[in-house]
Amino acid sequence: MFMSQQFGQSAASPEPGWLSSLLGGGARSAAGVAVSPDKALSITTYQACITTLAESLAQLPCELYRRNGDQRERVTDHPVAQLLRQPNGWQTPFEYAEGAQIAAAHDGNAFSYIERDEAGRPVALLPMDAGKVSVLRGADLMPYYRFDGQEPMPAHMVHHVRWFSRNGYTGVSPVQLHCDSLGLALATHGHASAVFANGTHLAGVLERPAVIGGQDVKPLSPERVLQIKAAWKREYAGRDNAMKVALLQEGITFKPLSMTNADAQLIDARKLSALEVAQIFKMPPHKVGLLDRATNNNIEHQGIEYVIYCLMPWIKRHEQARMRDLLLPSERGELYIEFNVSGLLRGDTQSRYAAYAIGRQWGWLSANDIRRLENLPPIPGGDVYMQPLNMVDTRGASMQGKSDAKALAEIEHILT
């Protein structure tokens, strides 16, 4: 017996009007703009957040490891290890991981059907459209998945990665949750487009007085106006005519037009909307082109901050979901799946080499440890750990003192 999930907003329990958003209508935001998943992707900052997360995660090596005491060894002959190298018959590991992350971040849930062999071992991961998957809660409190109206499938047949959840079964859709913020970004973009399409923006104005020397000046004919404008453009417009000195006759003056306060406020509003969209995913602004507070001194630390606070939670979601869905319960104590993020956490070359030198000199890094961190092959004799000559084991300090005193006495006896 299954119960339809009615205890949260998710793909399994859509709000009224959410189906229309999937069909292109969209839920109406407070700004009066209908927001659908496709329209949300048209917001450049939102699309940049989605693709930056997906591409960052997909480029990381993902391996299966076995715990061996304090050591670990990479496993290559296990069916899950082969699945990580080739998820299905048509997608590369990068394409599959990228698609799964896009679905998880954009829809709140990423679903894949787990194809298994006769022995129950996973042999393929087949992506499923999140909009066609309903999550049901069984009498055993386990999730069951109905795809496109078919019979519900148990959890061991579906690989499910979810965003943060309010019910423990499905992730929340960011398009639903932040409909008003995304709608404001769309409304601001639409207003800016309308201003450029319908508004009048001039670089400057040529003014001619109505009265000269106490006498009224007759207005110029339309033909004369066109001639003056053409002559001005020909003489002073363009790169080659920059910094020329203009000679104006008949009392004509030129007044340049600067940006209006309304234009400046519109630009600020668009920047604020972009920043709010980046905050949905805890994305550092510089990763989506907002460089107002980025400098050459802090950009490296902001990159590390992106990995730790923005990307790492998504990595953990994927790692633990793969372990739960692909490994047997008896294997999870020995085997584990892990993404290698060391490449993204590296500093610049000088900082890395200085840190390696300290670790090597003080004896907690060997030459091969350093080479592994730099993705270099080990060398013979590279597993030796060094120790500074001025470091003495405190357990042998008293004996060392006696030995030194005896040596000094012998030297003094020889000299006398």
Side-chain angles (χ1 to χ4, degrees):
M1 179 179 179
F2 304 102
M3 291 178 290
S4 179
Q5 190 189 124
Q6 299 297 331
F7 38 82
Q9 301 172 5
S10 65
S13 56
E15 288 186 337
W18 185 243
L19 178 60
S20 64
S21 71
L22 293 177
L23 299 177
R28 188 160 297 276
S29 65
V33 179
V35 181
S36 67
D38 289 340
K39 281 190 175 181
L41 283 175
S42 68
I43 303 173
T44 54
T45 306
Y46 181 87
Q47 184 266 341
C49 290
I50 296 290
T51 54
T52 298
L53 285 169
E55 292 169 355
S56 298
L57 184 140
Q59 68 177 305
L60 299 177
C62 184
E63 302 286 353
L64 178 67
Y65 294 96
R66 175 179 286 110
R67 296 182 180 89
N68 185 9
D70 294 335
Q71 305 294 324
R72 73 172 187 175
E73 57 184 17
R74 189 162 65 94
V75 179
T76 59
D77 56 353
H78 193 279
V80 173
Q82 300 173 10
L83 191 61
L84 296 177
R85 293 193 296 268
Q86 187 61 51
N88 51 57
W90 71 93
Q91 286 183 302
T92 64
F94 183 97
E95 293 171 341
Y96 174 79
E98 181 184 34
Q101 175 56 34
I102 289 175
H106 183 47
D107 301 314
N109 299 275
F111 302 99
S112 296
Y113 175 75
I114 305 175
E115 184 176 314
R116 299 180 182 270
D117 59 14
E118 294 80 1
R121 296 171 298 186
V123 295
L125 291 170
L126 311 179
M128 303 164 68
D129 186 351
K132 297 181 180 180
V133 178
S134 298
V135 182
L136 308 175
R137 183 178 61 180
D140 56 357
L141 300 183
M142 293 295 292
Y144 291 79
Y145 300 88
R146 176 183 285 128
F147 177 69
D148 203 14
Q150 301 176 11
E151 288 296 320
M153 296 177 288
H156 71 268
M157 297 180 65
V158 177
H159 173 50
H160 184 190
V161 181
R162 61 180 67 89
W163 195 28
F164 86 89
S165 175
R166 293 184 296 176
N167 53 44
Y169 289 84
T170 53
V172 178
S173 167
V175 180
Q176 278 185 281
L177 186 62
H178 299 284
C179 177
D180 288 342
S181 296
L182 297 174
L184 181 60
L186 287 170
T188 306
H189 177 75
H191 176 70
S193 299
V195 167
F196 281 100
N198 302 318
T200 302
H201 290 267
L202 303 177
V205 176
L206 290 172
E207 290 187 347
R208 184 170 178 266
V211 179
I212 297 180
Q215 297 181 356
D216 294 338
V217 178
K218 294 182 180 180
L220 298 175
S221 64
E223 293 79 8
R224 181 58 179 162
V225 170
L226 293 176
Q227 290 175 359
I228 293 176
K229 289 170 60 178
W232 179 270
K233 184 176 181 180
R234 181 175 59 253
E235 187 68 20
Y236 302 111
R239 180 182 59 186
D240 297 335
N241 296 324
M243 303 305 293
K244 279 189 174 182
V245 178
L247 176 62
L248 303 178
Q249 303 183 52
E250 302 179 4
I252 296 177
T253 60
F254 175 76
K255 291 186 177 180
L257 298 181
S258 60
M259 179 183 297
T260 65
N261 291 334
D263 292 336
Q265 291 174 0
L266 178 60
I267 293 175
D268 290 340
R270 296 201 66 191
K271 286 184 177 180
L272 180 59
S273 294
L275 184 60
E276 287 182 344
V277 173
Q279 289 173 344
I280 295 175
F281 300 97
K282 297 183 293 184
M283 181 70 65
H286 78 277
K287 297 293 289 185
V288 291
L290 302 175
L291 303 176
D292 294 349
R293 298 183 180 180
T295 66
N296 291 332
N297 294 328
N298 67 8
I299 197 70
E300 177 187 340
H301 295 88
Q302 289 188 27
I304 296 176
E305 178 184 354
Y306 159 72
V307 176
I308 296 175
Y309 298 109
C310 180
L311 182 62
M312 188 62 71
W314 288 107
I315 291 175
K316 292 302 179 182
R317 290 187 181 102
H318 285 272
E319 286 178 348
Q320 296 178 12
R322 291 184 180 188
M323 291 175 60
R324 177 199 64 208
D325 299 334
L326 303 180
L327 294 176
L328 297 175
S330 59
E331 297 176 324
R332 295 170 195 163
E334 180 184 8
L335 302 177
Y336 65 96
I337 298 172
E338 185 175 89
F339 286 87
N340 184 2
V341 298
S342 60
L344 296 180
L345 293 174
R346 291 178 180 174
D348 59 89
T349 303
Q350 182 177 0
S351 299
R352 295 203 317 273
Y353 285 6
Y356 293 155
I358 294 174
R360 180 78 169 124
Q361 292 167 6
W362 288 94
W364 54 273
L365 281 179
S366 68
N368 283 341
D369 290 336
I370 298 173
R371 294 179 65 84
R372 276 190 289 269
L373 292 173
E374 291 292 319
N375 290 324
L376 297 173
I379 58 175
D383 294 320
V384 177
Y385 291 88
M386 312 299 291
Q387 184 177 3
L389 293 177
N390 61 340
M391 300 294 289
V392 179
D393 190 342
T394 56
R395 294 172 299 179
S398 58
M399 295 179 60
Q400 183 69 30
K402 292 180 179 179
S403 175
D404 292 343
K406 183 178 180 181
L408 289 175
E410 292 178 353
I411 294 174
E412 184 178 358
H413 176 73
I414 294 173
L415 294 177
T416 55

